[in-house]
Amino acid sequence: MRPFILRFFFSTILFVFCIESFASNLYDYIYPKKEPSFSNYGTTGLIQMPSARLYDAGSLALSWSHNDPYLRGSIIAYPFEWFEATYGYTDINNALYSNVPDFSGSQSYKDKGFDIKLRILKETDFMPSIAFGIRDLAGSNQFEAEYLVASKFIRNIDFTLGIGWGDLSHGAYKNPLSLLGDGLNNRVSNNEGGQGGEFVTDRYFRGSVGVFGGIELFLPNTNGARIKIEYDSTNYLEEAFGLGRIASNFAFEPVKDTESRINYGLVYPFNENFQIKASFVKGNTFNFGFSYAINFLKKNQKLKKINPPIPVEKPEIVRKVNAQNDLFYYRSMLKNLDERNLYLQKASVEDESVTVAFSQSTYPSHMQAAGRVARVLDQVSPDKIKKFNLINVNAGMAMYSMEIDRSVFSRNRTGNNYKLAKRGIKISSEKYEDRSYSYNPSKPFPAHFYNIEPTLRTQIGGPDGFFFGDLRLTLDSELVFDEGLSLSTSASIGVTDNLDNLKLASDSILPHVRTDIVKYLKNSRDYNIDRLQLNYFLNPSPNIYGKVSVGILETMFTGIGTEFLYRPFDKNFGIGAELFAVQQRDYDLLFGLRDYKTTTGHLNLYYIEPKTKVLFAVRGGRFLAKDSGFNFDFSRRFKSGFQLGVFFSLTDISKREFGEGSFDKGFYFHVPLDFFSTNYNKDVFTYGLRPLTRDGAASLNHGFYLWGVTEQAHKETFFRDWDDLYD
């Protein structure tokens, strides 16, 4: 059967290369949506096999599948249109958590892994999309594989053909890369021990290969429903705990061998985000799953805001009254800005210009906030005022100064001609001079802001149980004593939890700065304080910002320290430093302290790559466990406010000292709540994950990092959002 399969797919791919793809208005109507779908391995693909398809940049997806003996959940992110990154968590139901039954208990084996896929050729009329990928890039190598794959649409059929290494090498064809050297014919055994989490480059794209392929047949008038048929090259006796591995002694029952290499599946989309799928694989196994994908590249155009700009009542009369007396003018600005959640701090009139210092916590777009301030000023300012000078203040520090030509701003507002309006706008850095204003309205200090909401603390994937959760009611509070001086508090009360059976102790040989997490969770169930931090912010000169903090700085440490940042407004870099003396907190997370003390500090370098807008951050210094080294962070922010990031750390401890995982690594993303709200909202949902909690490379989470606090103190913030000026 194998020669027939090969002839079929090679003839298909030749056909794809030779035929011009067909698209017409009729086909676009019958097949309106051809979004990719996800394989059972959590990457875009067919059923078991990958394809060369990717979602658009700024997409985030969740995928779950039940494919006996595996339950697999994945988070898939797309920082670029050509790059797919997947974090997968697999419950392997035919193997125990370890080869020691007393330790494993009833827990099955849990595997974590990172996958990547990179598109190297974008599809054209005559050429397919081509991509290569690596599964289990830095995991335990239970599902390790590499592949090169091509996909091509012809009308309503998406053809895929690829070759795979590692666990995709069924068929054992000679490695075509061996033309580069005989060493590529040999693959190091993945049964060798180690701490896991390492990049084992001497296995990538080595050894024999297998051939796979298939089709996705899109059904007419079904908004993206499709039938999938594939030829599967997975070597099921080698992946995970198959009988071909030494590690199969973990398994308490064998994996089903393959009765057929042809798999069949169906995908049905309920809407543009949510898909369900079912398939029959290996000739003996039925599986099912679902996925949810959403694109955050741009703002949500389908969800209209209910708080558009509010015009000032009777502006002609207001302007005439304000022309008689500056105090009337100041009070008019104060009243109308306050009604729009824009808070005037200081103001001055000089000749034909007015300078206004303001703060705001409503609008996620700083250009939009400045535009709304200018809109109010245009309606209430006397005719003699020709220029607006806006200074944004955050935490008592000046973020920027925006000089706006009133006539240019007003003339282009009706047609939303922001491209022309920006010719009359100049933006620069600024120092906040508290005493240089004619109008200084009294402020109701101390001011108190708070929020109460449910939160969940979790521990996932240990031998004590798959999921432990602690549902809590949390109070987040900020007490502002004066400009730049505030007390931030986060405290919670337990509602319900299942932490009684959580007992796995730390095996770390380093100071337990993070790995005593079980003790912290169990001893702080009733009530706790996560943060009680007094912050003083200062702005000694333009582009230079500072912070001094003291108190309970984070969940596990209290202390005192400082951070400084030099961030030139019109440059793509920043330089910072932080230094903190800290002491470890008692496990009950109240006011008691443990004996462990240390000093931690870092030099921080930031660089925004001009073309891709990727932020590269490097922090070098001393970590909480007294190890020294570097933390590398790469992130990209999209116009919607969505941010994706990955990080890793390398310090002067060995892999053995670090323990399982070999080195610190993880990812995070920030989802803007404004994307889902009908009201403007600056809050974000933040999710970050390290595959393992270890003590090496642990950083102090002192919060209110100056790079984030000073986001609007950089030109890119405004260049990105010019089109929000009149929103």
Side-chain angles (χ1 to χ4, degrees), residues 544-607:
I544 296 179
Y545 310 92
K547 179 190 73 173
V548 178
S549 300
V550 62
I552 298 175
L553 303 176
E554 56 140 274
T555 303
M556 297 184 185
F557 283 89
T558 185
I560 184 172
T562 185
E563 180 188 6
F564 280 89
L565 174 66
Y566 170 61
R567 185 174 189 171
F569 184 84
D570 57 352
K571 304 296 182 183
N572 285 344
F573 69 89
I575 303 172
E578 56 188 285
L579 183 66
F580 286 85
V582 296
Q583 186 169 355
Q584 195 166 22
R585 299 177 62 192
D586 269 349
Y587 299 134
D588 61 5
L589 295 184
L590 294 175
F591 295 100
L593 299 174
R594 298 177 57 77
D595 293 334
Y596 183 76
K597 299 179 181 179
T598 190
T599 299
T600 179
H602 295 83
L603 291 176
N604 306 322
L605 302 177
Y606 307 91
Y607 176 72

Side-chain angles (χ1 to χ4, degrees), residues 602-620:
H602 295 83
L603 291 176
N604 306 322
L605 302 177
Y606 307 91
Y607 176 72
I608 301 174
E609 198 282 316
K611 186 175 181 180
T612 63
K613 310 305 179 186
V614 171
L615 170 63
F616 298 89
V618 180
R619 305 174 67 238

Side-chain angles (χ1 to χ4, degrees), residues 251-275:
F252 53 80
E253 66 182 28
V255 177
K256 288 182 182 179
D257 201 358
T258 304
E259 296 179 16
S260 172
R261 289 282 165 185
I262 306 298
N263 301 328
Y264 306 90
L266 174 67
V267 174
Y268 180 79
F270 276 93
N271 53 47
E272 63 181 13
N273 304 115
F274 184 69
Q275 299 176 345

Side-chain angles (χ1 to χ4, degrees), residues 354-358 366-367 370 387-393 397-404 424-433 437 539 542-543 545 569 712-715 718-719 722:
V354 60
T355 299
V356 172
F358 75 97
H366 302 293
M367 180 58 77
K387 190 176 295 182
F388 305 142
N389 296 310
L390 310 184
I391 297 174
N392 180 235
V393 179
M397 302 182 293
M399 299 289 102
Y400 63 84
S401 175
M402 182 180 293
E403 181 183 288
I404 301 176
I425 298 176
K426 299 177 182 178
I427 312 174
S428 61
S429 59
E430 179 73 18
K431 178 186 176 183
Y432 186 37
E433 298 288 355
Y437 296 86
N539 182 199
N543 304 317
Y545 310 92
F569 184 84
Q712 60 265 48
H714 187 253
K715 64 177 183 179
F718 301 94
F719 292 170
W722 270 115

Side-chain angles (χ1 to χ4, degrees), residues 272-468:
E272 63 181 13
N273 304 115
F274 184 69
Q275 299 176 345
I276 61 171
K277 60 184 178 181
S279 55
F280 187 68
V281 304
K282 298 197 294 184
N284 53 29
T285 303
F286 175 79
N287 62 71
F288 59 92
F290 64 86
S291 64
Y292 184 86
I294 189 167
N295 184 264
F296 293 102
L297 178 63
K298 300 178 180 179
K299 293 183 178 181
N300 190 345
Q301 301 298 324
K302 297 180 180 180
L303 192 65
K304 300 300 182 182
K305 303 299 184 186
I306 61 175
N307 47 350
I310 303 173
V312 174
E313 294 184 7
K314 300 178 180 179
E316 298 84 359
I317 297 176
V318 171
R319 287 195 293 269
K320 289 181 181 180
V321 172
N322 291 342
Q324 301 175 16
N325 189 301
D326 283 348
L327 184 58
F328 293 163
Y329 181 29
Y330 292 140
R331 289 176 175 174
S332 176
M333 286 189 290
L334 178 67
K335 172 182 179 295
N336 283 283
L337 289 173
D338 183 76
E339 289 175 350
R340 293 156 179 80
N341 298 317
L342 301 161
Y343 305 108
L344 186 145
Q345 307 294 310
K346 314 283 183 182
S348 284
V349 174
E350 184 176 349
D351 298 329
E352 296 182 343
S353 69
V354 60
T355 299
V356 172
F358 75 97
S359 64
Q360 67 94 18
S361 58
T362 300
Y363 303 99
S365 169
H366 302 293
M367 180 58 77
Q368 181 185 19
R372 293 211 172 185
V373 172
R375 185 188 292 261
V376 170
L377 295 183
D378 187 38
Q379 296 176 79
V380 304
S381 296
D383 293 339
K384 72 172 185 177
I385 301 297
K386 308 299 182 183
K387 190 176 295 182
F388 305 142
N389 296 310
L390 310 184
I391 297 174
N392 180 235
V393 179
N394 189 25
M397 302 182 293
M399 299 289 102
Y400 63 84
S401 175
M402 182 180 293
E403 181 183 288
I404 301 176
D405 185 302
R406 180 181 183 179
S407 63
V408 175
F409 177 85
S410 179
R411 184 169 62 248
N412 291 286
R413 186 178 65 196
T414 302
N416 191 23
N417 293 319
Y418 62 89
K419 292 182 179 180
L420 295 178
K422 72 179 183 179
R423 298 178 182 178
I425 298 176
K426 299 177 182 178
I427 312 174
S428 61
S429 59
E430 179 73 18
K431 178 186 176 183
Y432 186 37
E433 298 288 355
D434 187 41
R435 298 181 180 178
S436 61
Y437 296 86
S438 301
Y439 182 60
N440 296 275
S442 60
K443 301 179 182 63
F445 292 132
H448 187 218
F449 309 92
Y450 69 91
N451 181 47
I452 299 175
E453 61 185 4
T455 57
L456 182 67
R457 301 189 301 178
T458 61
Q459 184 78 352
I460 300 175
D464 302 327
F466 175 70
F467 176 85
F468 289 94

